[in-house]
Amino acid sequence: MYQIYPRSFQDSNGDGEGDLPGAISRLQYLRDLGIDAIWLSPFYTSPNKDGGYDISNPRDVDPRFGTLSDAAKLINNAHQFGLKVIVDIVPNHFSTEHAWFKEAINSPIGSSARARFHFHHGRGVHGEIPPNNWCSLFGGSAWTQIRERDGTLGQWYLHLFDSTQADLNWECNEVIEDFDKTLRFWLNLGVDGFRIDVAHGLVKENILQDHSDPEGLTKALRLDITEIPRDLRESLLADVPFFDREGVHEIYRHWRKILDSFEGTRMSVAEALVRPRSRATRYVRKDELHQIFNFDFLTADWTKESLIGLISQTLFELSEVLAPPTWVLCNHDSPRIASRLGGGEIGLKRARALALLIHALPGSIYIYQGEELGLPNADVPDNLRQDPVFFRSSGVDKGRDGARVPLPWESNLLNFGFSSGSPWLPIPPNWTVFAADQQNSPESTLSLYKLSLKIRSSHPGLKNDSEPDVSKSINWIDSPPGIVSFKRNAGFVLFANTLSTPIELSLAKYGLKGARILVSSTDGCRIEGQALIIAPDSCVWLSTEVS
């Protein structure tokens, strides 16, 4: 899967923002990369207060991205290239510009229009205190007070994210029926499935009760926050009153029936950060969703112990429900992997090595646009930032703009060929080295991705096992400290060096015959006689007979 963040992928009309015709123009690039499917972040009608995730009409295309005809053309053209298409669905909230919310604030307290959202009276003598102390994941309170029709301060509405994103009440039948329409609308247009935003957030419990540490919980829930200790993070995530409640599973059983009623294979993948991790498997039981994002690699340490532990745990837990694993290094909500792993040359080396590692794992890989170019986070000037996280935190939290900067396509063109107009976020002028047209050499990150994906799809040792128990799909090799190593099926072995020094291993010691290197993340990995030299912060694939 390749994630397209449409606003930053390719602009076709010079307005500085990517669009659907722009994405259509790059389908050949995507096919040549070697992917199987694209996932499109929201392109629906939206005031764009949160990058399109504040939707005012989920069954139409926002003019900034094109038209409904453009969406149909993108789906059809992608299919002609042999690519599946999944699109975002955002069931946790609607934009406050949605017709429903406008109706709600102009309707009386207790009306059916307000029942579609979470409206509650405030606390205090005059209702001036929010109904509880929950924090928005974007900073500040999770509640905003409205003015009633007579001009007086009135009820409060819940928004786990920006104040322009009002949470929907999934106990309301109208909400259920409206999303049924949305699913069927896009399935009828030809999409192959959905990525479900905040999939674990639809059902809330104890909505009028305070949380013991609301600010700590907010930090724990953010994928790009590293300041909170891991133990405290896990403790806070173990019980979130507005996430991972039992009621969400009834919703997804209903959605699965809709998906299965359409011809062909239609799939679903949940964005749901839940703890303990074992609870994630509940979303992919045979009568619910097909996949759930595994966010472990978005925060994983570059150490042998961390990597083996996370991979083993993921495979074991999913084996209990016979569901395929997913592997994600970064997305539009998290720091780019090259920056998270140290930045600069060392960060890119580790990012390439980790990419090669997950490309060898069974299941599905999700690649965020620009990851294949080795892009780091961009340093966006504060006066140009647009993420609501930045504004709601008064600039303390820089937000996610650095991972959303438009892609550099061609080094010698204005704005790197992304747009003939001024990009909505500035592309760093020193990104020439990352431009797609500069990555034709075998040593480039783009070439590495192309080669590894090609080998992944063709090498018999890397094909997904017919054995549904994914915990049996890799065999760990006992290796020295700092070295991650495993076998996959016949003739494939992987070694990854997480240390800052090169490691030399005896191939004979590991019973490897006729070993040859398929691909390595750096040119410092080589075979000399019967010795395998693994460069620092690198990964290498071997094809060999195994004795």
Side-chain angles (χ1 to χ4, degrees):
M1 297 281 192
Y2 183 96
Q3 181 191 356
I4 292 178
Y5 190 73
R7 198 179 182 195
S8 297
F9 191 60
Q10 176 66 65
D11 176 23
S12 70
N13 60 10
D15 66 358
E17 296 184 301
D19 46 44
L20 298 184
I24 293 171
S25 73
R26 295 293 182 182
L27 288 174
Q28 179 73 53
Y29 167 85
L30 295 175
R31 185 180 71 172
D32 291 347
L33 178 60
I35 63 165
D36 301 302
I38 58 177
W39 149 33
L40 289 159
S41 291
F43 50 85
Y44 316 115
T45 309
S46 166
N48 197 39
K49 300 296 184 181
D50 180 29
Y53 282 89
D54 50 318
I55 297 171
S56 56
N57 184 352
R59 297 188 287 274
D60 201 359
V61 175
D62 193 288
R64 74 175 64 231
F65 294 122
T67 65
L68 197 55
S69 295
D70 291 326
K73 183 179 180 180
L74 174 56
I75 295 166
N76 292 333
N77 286 17
H79 287 166
Q80 292 174 13
F81 275 104
L83 303 175
K84 303 283 189 182
V85 179
I86 66 171
V87 297
D88 255 305
I89 189 167
V90 186
N92 182 71
H93 48 261
F94 274 160
S95 165
T96 52
E97 293 298 311
H98 191 284
W100 275 9
F101 191 82
K102 292 180 178 180
E103 181 184 359
I105 61 175
N106 287 298
S107 298
I109 294 172
S111 64
S112 59
R114 291 202 181 183
R116 298 165 178 156
F117 302 92
H118 294 282
F119 278 92
H120 290 278
H121 293 294
R123 299 177 294 181
V125 177
H126 304 291
E128 71 279 9
I129 303 173
N132 69 23
N133 68 349
W134 293 358
C135 291
S136 161
L137 272 69
F138 288 175
S141 174
W143 297 90
T144 291
Q145 191 173 25
I146 67 167
R147 287 195 177 274
E148 302 294 348
R149 289 181 296 174
D150 62 4
T152 61
L153 288 172
Q155 287 190 305
W156 299 71
Y157 67 90
L158 177 68
H159 53 88
L160 293 180
F161 297 91
D162 190 58
S163 60
T164 61
Q165 296 164 290
D167 278 45
L168 290 161
N169 178 12
W170 275 85
E171 294 182 3
C172 175
N173 285 332
E174 285 186 88
V175 174
I176 297 171
E177 292 167 0
D178 191 71
F179 273 87
D180 284 0
K181 291 180 183 178
T182 297
L183 290 172
R184 294 182 185 279
F185 179 88
W186 292 107
L187 289 168
N188 283 323
L189 201 66
V191 302
D192 300 286
F194 301 94
R195 176 264 191 187
I196 305 167
D197 186 64
V198 197
H200 54 326
L202 279 54
V203 174
K204 280 77 174 176
E205 293 180 357
N206 303 320
I207 203 166
L208 298 180
Q209 293 183 17
D210 284 343
H211 189 271
S212 60
D213 185 5
E215 293 185 0
L217 178 60
T218 299
K219 291 181 179 179
L221 288 165
R222 286 284 306 280
L223 292 173
D224 56 351
I225 296 294
T226 57
E227 64 189 61
I228 185 169
R230 186 176 296 273
D231 289 347
L232 177 57
R233 177 188 178 94
E234 296 299 313
S235 174
L236 288 167
L237 293 178
D239 186 24
V240 185
F242 44 78
F243 283 163
D244 196 31
R245 302 295 96 186
E246 289 299 315
V248 299
H249 299 288
E250 180 180 348
I251 296 168
Y252 296 134
R253 290 188 186 98
H254 173 65
W255 284 14
R256 178 60 178 265
K257 291 177 182 178
I258 294 176
L259 289 166
D260 289 348
S261 71
F262 279 77
E263 183 179 355
T265 302
R266 310 295 178 107
M267 67 85 70
S268 53
V269 55
E271 182 212 28
L273 176 62
V274 299
R275 292 292 187 268
R277 292 181 180 87
S278 57
R279 291 185 64 85
T281 62
R282 297 157 61 81
Y283 291 79
V284 287
R285 290 173 289 197
K286 64 179 181 179
D287 60 343
E288 295 191 41
L289 305 176
H290 298 84
Q291 295 183 351
I292 183 169
F293 282 131
N294 174 7
F295 289 124
D296 287 341
F297 278 104
L298 272 65
T299 58
D301 297 326
W302 177 239
T303 65
K304 174 181 181 177
E305 294 73 21
S306 175
L307 297 175
I308 291 179
L310 294 177
I311 295 170
S312 298
Q313 184 175 22
T314 297
L315 296 178
F316 171 75
E317 290 171 350
L318 288 171
S319 70
E320 297 185 338
V321 290
L322 303 181
T326 62
W327 312 102
V328 187
L329 294 182
C330 53
N331 60 31
H332 64 290
D333 284 331
S334 68
R336 286 195 174 275
I337 187 64
S339 292
R340 191 184 72 77
L341 291 183
E345 181 179 349
I346 187 66
L348 181 57
K349 285 181 63 177
R350 291 171 176 172
R352 288 164 55 97
L354 189 52
L356 208 55
L357 174 60
I358 72 163
H359 291 187
L361 296 174
S364 293
I365 305 163
Y366 284 79
I367 298 171
Y368 177 46
Q369 64 177 45
E371 177 190 323
E372 78 281 9
L373 303 178
L375 290 184
N377 269 20
D379 186 11
V380 179
D382 285 356
N383 66 318
L384 297 178
R385 292 186 180 274
Q386 300 193 28
D387 191 344
V389 173
F390 175 75
F391 299 102
R392 290 183 63 87
S393 68
S394 299
V396 174
D397 189 333
K398 296 299 183 182
R400 302 158 293 175
D401 289 326
R404 299 178 176 185
V405 168
L407 298 191
W409 291 103
E410 299 176 57
S411 58
N412 62 343
L413 294 183
L414 176 68
N415 300 318
F416 293 96
F418 165 71
S419 175
S420 60
S422 179
W424 71 280
L425 287 175
I427 306 175
N430 63 353
W431 272 15
T432 302
V433 66
F434 297 113
D437 70 338
Q438 294 296 302
Q439 302 217 30
N440 296 320
S441 70
E443 294 78 23
S444 73
T445 302
L446 180 57
S447 293
L448 176 69
Y449 270 66
K450 285 183 177 180
L451 180 55
S452 64
L453 295 181
K454 180 179 180 180
I455 296 172
R456 174 183 169 88
S457 67
S458 60
H459 194 286
L462 280 174
K463 291 186 176 180
N464 284 335
D465 295 309
S466 58
E467 167 62 58
D469 183 355
V470 290
S471 66
K472 299 178 181 179
S473 51
I474 67 174
N475 295 300
W476 296 106
I477 297 174
D478 185 18
S479 52
I483 303 298
V484 177
S485 184
F486 59 78
K487 300 175 183 178
R488 280 283 312 274
N489 299 324
F492 179 88
V493 180
L494 175 146
F495 289 94
N497 182 5
T498 66
L499 305 176
S500 58
T501 55
I503 295 293
E504 180 175 330
L505 300 176
S506 167
L507 293 175
K509 177 181 177 181
Y510 292 96
L512 305 177
K513 292 182 179 179
R516 63 183 179 88
I517 293 178
L518 289 169
V519 60
S520 62
S521 62
T522 69
D523 57 9
C525 297
R526 62 193 186 276
I527 293 175
E528 295 181 353
Q530 289 300 307
L532 171 66
I533 313 299
I534 314 173
D537 297 305
S538 65
C539 181
V540 60
W541 292 0
L542 300 180
S543 183
T544 179
E545 295 179 6
V546 182
S547 61

